[in-house]
Amino acid sequence: MGSPVGSVAVEEILLVLKVLFLVFLYLFIWRIVRTASRDLRAPQESFVLAPQRGGAVALAQTAAPSGRLVVVRSAALAEGADHVLNSSPVTVGRGSQNHIQIGDDDFASSTHASFEPRRDGVWLSDLGSTNGTYVNGERIDRPRKLAAGDVVRVGETDLRFEQ
């Protein structure tokens, strides 16, 4: 049979461990609640609808142009032609489903690249093209934010981004 002094020490250690476990559990739950409440307070993107004359419903803010793409050099597009970027993504490629079609460009993929206007600027993504997408002569391997004057190469077509 164990000594009463030893069993009291073991019970005290177990009590301390139980209290520490509860403290860590409450700290963990508190961190989760704090993180969740911070996420709820963060501004969320949403569309605000406002009534207009005649009972029609429209977006409260019209989509302001985010920039434009000017054709610098292309076998398929007229040089100097421009394409306005609004709030929706714009795809470029040989296929007819693209917003900017470069059908005569044999070095462009069917769906080659995407220009995506966001709140912080216009982002360019390569959509798994065979020959790659280039910005100012450098091949991109992940989405890249464009700056005014950047020249984007899709196949043999050069487009200059302007704001």
Side-chain angles (χ1 to χ4, degrees):
M1 189 159 180
S3 72
V5 175
S7 66
V8 171
V10 170
E11 287 180 15
E12 288 176 359
I13 291 173
L14 289 175
L15 179 64
V16 169
L17 288 174
K18 287 178 185 178
V19 169
L20 285 173
F21 175 75
L22 287 174
V23 167
F24 284 122
L25 181 64
Y26 283 117
L27 282 173
F28 178 72
I29 292 171
W30 176 73
R31 293 281 303 216
I32 290 172
V33 169
R34 193 176 96 187
T35 302
S37 65
R38 186 181 316 138
D39 287 345
L40 290 174
R41 285 191 304 252
Q44 302 290 324
E45 290 187 29
S46 65
F47 291 100
V48 178
L49 299 178
Q52 288 189 339
R53 295 182 196 168
V57 176
L59 292 173
Q61 295 180 348
T62 58
S66 300
R68 64 189 186 125
L69 299 171
V70 178
V71 178
V72 176
R73 185 174 64 107
S74 176
L77 303 172
E79 291 183 18
D82 66 344
H83 302 275
V84 177
L85 300 173
N86 289 321
S87 60
S88 60
V90 171
T91 57
V92 180
R94 281 193 336 237
S96 61
Q97 75 277 12
N98 294 295
H99 300 93
I100 302 174
Q101 298 174 18
I102 48 178
D104 293 339
D105 192 336
D106 294 332
F107 292 93
S109 295
S110 178
T111 304
H112 196 103
S114 172
F115 295 88
E116 184 180 353
R118 300 180 189 168
R119 287 183 178 198
D120 61 342
V122 175
W123 289 77
L124 171 67
S125 299
D126 182 81
L127 300 176
S129 66
T130 304
N131 294 319
T133 303
Y134 295 81
V135 176
N136 301 326
E138 180 182 328
R139 187 173 182 158
I140 63 169
D141 57 355
R142 61 179 175 260
R144 177 173 170 168
K145 184 178 175 184
L146 295 177
D150 281 347
V151 175
V152 176
R153 179 167 211 140
V154 174
E156 290 186 322
T157 300
D158 290 337
L159 304 166
R160 184 178 58 246
F161 174 70
E162 296 180 353
Q163 289 184 318

